[in-house]
């Protein structure tokens, strides 16, 4: 854990009243120092943006960083302490329900990879709950994710490759023979988009328009409509929380209206310069396209869940990857919430939604507005993708878990970021 910084003063407030210097000093002295673990978490947060790159078959850069983080956590266990709070309890419950799902449905061994990926992400979040951290630590973890998004955006223009099985007009990043899903590329930019939108309004940083515009343009080049929608929702929520956190709401509201108008005009202008095959995806949302195919897959999965499930399957699901057995095209549901309902049942979906709610509440109470906007963006992102193992999302929950260091309840803050 890093040494005491002025940011700690901002966190150690309850309903606007600062804790005394004496109490703050006692609190600071009671917090163990784990700089190695905090630094490893920062490295992991950065490397999650490159989780699509395989070091060896089956081991991605993100998974390798996760294994290193677990190793460092084991070395630092003397500084750890277990406190069962709502977030930790929900993590355990989701792990238990997921294990029951695998046990009840042994025939779906192809979904074992998805199960192990989920357990790995839950383990990482659970480890962060064991160690105290400061606001400075959380800011570094967040900046590491922003840096990863910026590097990935730059690589989009340095090392572009056509999207596999789609055509030469839609492009993504290619590294060492690995390329990512175009939807996931947009997901890697969510935190950076929230960061620069918030800075643009809350800190009057006009220069933030440059990386924000470049990232949106890169997202457009992928042709991912669901990914672009997630980024736009992230921007809207970032604007809302920036205005809410400001003392000059009227001025910030006018600035937000100006930013929205600029985005609309810029979007129409960008469509004119995009390749026809890419621009057409943002102009045609007819049922004959992929949008219609996804809604049909949702209908197939929901119908199979309600009509073809036993009581046990209603509760713990049909197994990871089982949606491919009931969709018309043999693919996943392309909606994480529907995917979880069918795969892990009502209990699994409930645990996941509870994890979202508890994490959002902690971030909101702590004034972590950038993370709040990012979490909202990931919720929209998951409505078009079954990406349960998407690591940047779990890093946001790690940031929420970091508030454990300040007691069982995150402090109420309004102007933290």
């Amino acid at each position: 854990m890093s040494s005491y910084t002025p940011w700690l003063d901002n966190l150690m407030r309850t309903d606007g009243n600062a804790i005394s210097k004496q109490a703050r000093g006692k609190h600071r002295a009671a917090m163990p120092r784990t700089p190695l673990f905090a630094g490893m978490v920062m490295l992991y947060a950065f490397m999650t943006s490159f989780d699509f790159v395989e070091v060896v078959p089956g081991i991605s850069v993100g998974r390798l960083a996760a294994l290193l983080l677990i190793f460092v956590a084991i070395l630092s266990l003397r500084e750890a302490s277990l406190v069962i709070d709502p977030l930790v309890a929900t993590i355990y419950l989701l792990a238990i329900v997921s294990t029951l799902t695998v046990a009840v449905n042994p025939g779906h061994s192809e979904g074992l990879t998805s199960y192990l990926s989920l357990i790995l992400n839950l383990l990482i979040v659970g480890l962060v709950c064991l160690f105290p951290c400061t606001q400075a630590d959380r800011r570094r973890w967040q900046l590491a994710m922003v840096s990863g998004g910026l590097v990935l955006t730059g690589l989009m223009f340095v090392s572009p490759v056509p999207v596999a099985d789609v055509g030469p007009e839609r492009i993504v990043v290619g590294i060492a023979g690995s390329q990512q899903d175009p939807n996931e590329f947009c997901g890697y930019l969510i935190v950076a988009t929230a960061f620069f939108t918030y800075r643009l309004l809350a800190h009057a940083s006009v220069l933030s328009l440059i990386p924000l515009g470049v990232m949106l343009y890169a997202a457009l080049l992928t042709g991912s409509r669901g990914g672009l929608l997630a980024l736009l929702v992230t921007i809207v929520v970032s604007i809302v929380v920036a205005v809410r956190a400001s003392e000059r709401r009227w001025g910030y509201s006018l600035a937000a209206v100006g930013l929205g108008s600029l985005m609309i005009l810029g979007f129409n202008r960008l469509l004119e310069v995009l390749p026809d095959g890419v621009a057409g995806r943002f102009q045609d949302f007819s049922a004959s396209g992929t949008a219609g195919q996804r809604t049909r897959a949702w209908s197939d999965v929901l119908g199979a869940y309600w009509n073809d499930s036993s009581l046990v399957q209603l509760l713990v699901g049909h197994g990871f990857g089982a949606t491919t057995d009931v969709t018309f095209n043999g693919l996943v549901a392309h909606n994480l919430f529907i995917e979880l309902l069918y795969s892990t049942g009502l209990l699994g979906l409930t645990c996941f939604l509870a994890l979202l709610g508890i994490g959002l509440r902690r971030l909101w109470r702590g004034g972590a507005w950038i993370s709040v906007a990012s979490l909202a963006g990931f919720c929209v992102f998951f409505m078009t993708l079954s990406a349960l193992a998407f690591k940047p999302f779990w890093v946001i929950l790690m940031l929420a878990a970091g508030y454990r260091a300040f007691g069982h309840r995150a402090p109420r803050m309004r102007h933290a970021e």
Side-chain angles (χ1 to χ4, degrees), residues 234-304:
T234 302
I235 290 174
V236 170
V237 177
S238 299
I239 292 173
V240 171
V241 295
V243 171
R244 181 188 184 278
S246 171
E247 298 288 352
R248 297 172 293 176
R249 292 193 177 185
W250 282 108
Y252 278 54
S253 298
L254 292 176
V257 171
L259 176 61
S261 302
L262 180 64
M263 288 178 55
I264 294 174
L265 294 175
F267 180 75
N268 292 329
R269 181 70 184 90
L270 284 174
L271 288 181
E272 297 175 3
V273 301
L274 288 174
D276 293 338
V278 177
R281 289 182 55 81
F282 299 104
Q283 297 169 333
D284 180 17
F285 291 87
S286 63
S288 59
T290 55
Q293 294 176 6
R294 292 191 178 187
T295 55
R296 181 179 172 185
W298 301 348
S299 178
D300 290 343
V301 174
L302 289 174

Side-chain angles (χ1 to χ4, degrees), residues 101-391:
T101 296
V102 173
V104 172
N105 302 281
H108 285 280
S109 57
E110 65 276 8
L112 186 60
T113 301
S114 298
Y115 165 73
L116 293 176
S117 297
L118 172 61
I119 295 299
L120 178 62
N121 285 302
L122 291 174
L123 176 61
I124 295 296
V125 178
L127 286 175
V128 173
C129 292
L130 297 176
F131 296 91
C133 64
T134 64
Q135 172 72 343
D137 291 328
R138 287 192 294 275
R139 286 176 66 91
R140 293 188 187 103
W141 300 347
Q142 187 179 78
L143 288 174
M145 296 186 69
V146 173
S147 301
L150 289 177
V151 171
L152 206 58
T153 302
L155 290 174
M156 180 74 157
F157 301 98
V158 175
S159 180
V161 295
V163 177
D165 303 324
V166 173
E169 294 183 322
R170 296 178 62 188
I171 60 174
V172 289
V173 175
I175 300 177
S178 301
Q179 67 168 273
Q180 59 196 166
D181 180 270
N183 300 288
E184 292 187 357
F185 174 85
C186 296
Y188 290 125
L189 305 184
I190 286 178
V191 178
T193 299
F195 177 82
F196 287 110
T197 304
Y198 186 86
R199 283 191 57 83
L200 176 63
L201 291 175
H203 300 281
S205 176
V206 181
L207 291 178
S208 295
L209 279 172
I210 297 175
L212 189 60
V214 173
M215 286 189 295
L216 289 177
Y217 180 63
L220 284 171
L221 289 176
T222 67
S224 171
R225 293 172 293 194
L228 181 64
L229 178 60
L231 293 178
L232 293 178
V233 169
T234 302
I235 290 174
V236 170
V237 177
S238 299
I239 292 173
V240 171
V241 295
V243 171
R244 181 188 184 278
S246 171
E247 298 288 352
R248 297 172 293 176
R249 292 193 177 185
W250 282 108
Y252 278 54
S253 298
L254 292 176
V257 171
L259 176 61
S261 302
L262 180 64
M263 288 178 55
I264 294 174
L265 294 175
F267 180 75
N268 292 329
R269 181 70 184 90
L270 284 174
L271 288 181
E272 297 175 3
V273 301
L274 288 174
D276 293 338
V278 177
R281 289 182 55 81
F282 299 104
Q283 297 169 333
D284 180 17
F285 291 87
S286 63
S288 59
T290 55
Q293 294 176 6
R294 292 191 178 187
T295 55
R296 181 179 172 185
W298 301 348
S299 178
D300 290 343
V301 174
L302 289 174
Y305 175 77
W306 292 113
N307 299 323
D308 302 323
S309 300
S310 63
L311 178 60
V312 173
Q313 290 172 329
L314 285 173
L315 293 175
V316 297
H318 293 254
F320 290 94
T323 52
T324 58
D325 297 334
V326 296
T327 53
F328 75 99
N329 53 7
L331 301 178
V332 295
H334 282 286
N335 182 305
L336 180 57
F337 305 103
I338 296 177
E339 184 87 21
L340 280 174
L341 179 64
Y342 190 81
S343 300
T344 62
L346 188 60
L347 292 178
L349 178 61
T350 301
C351 289
F352 183 76
L353 293 177
L355 200 59
L356 281 176
I358 295 170
L360 179 61
R361 182 173 181 270
R362 284 196 177 189
L363 295 171
W364 185 275
R365 288 176 58 87
W369 305 124
I370 295 172
S371 296
V372 167
S374 300
L375 194 57
F378 282 123
C379 288
V380 176
F381 175 73
F382 288 145
M383 293 181 69
T384 59
L385 208 63
S386 298
L388 181 59
F390 195 65
K391 289 182 174 58

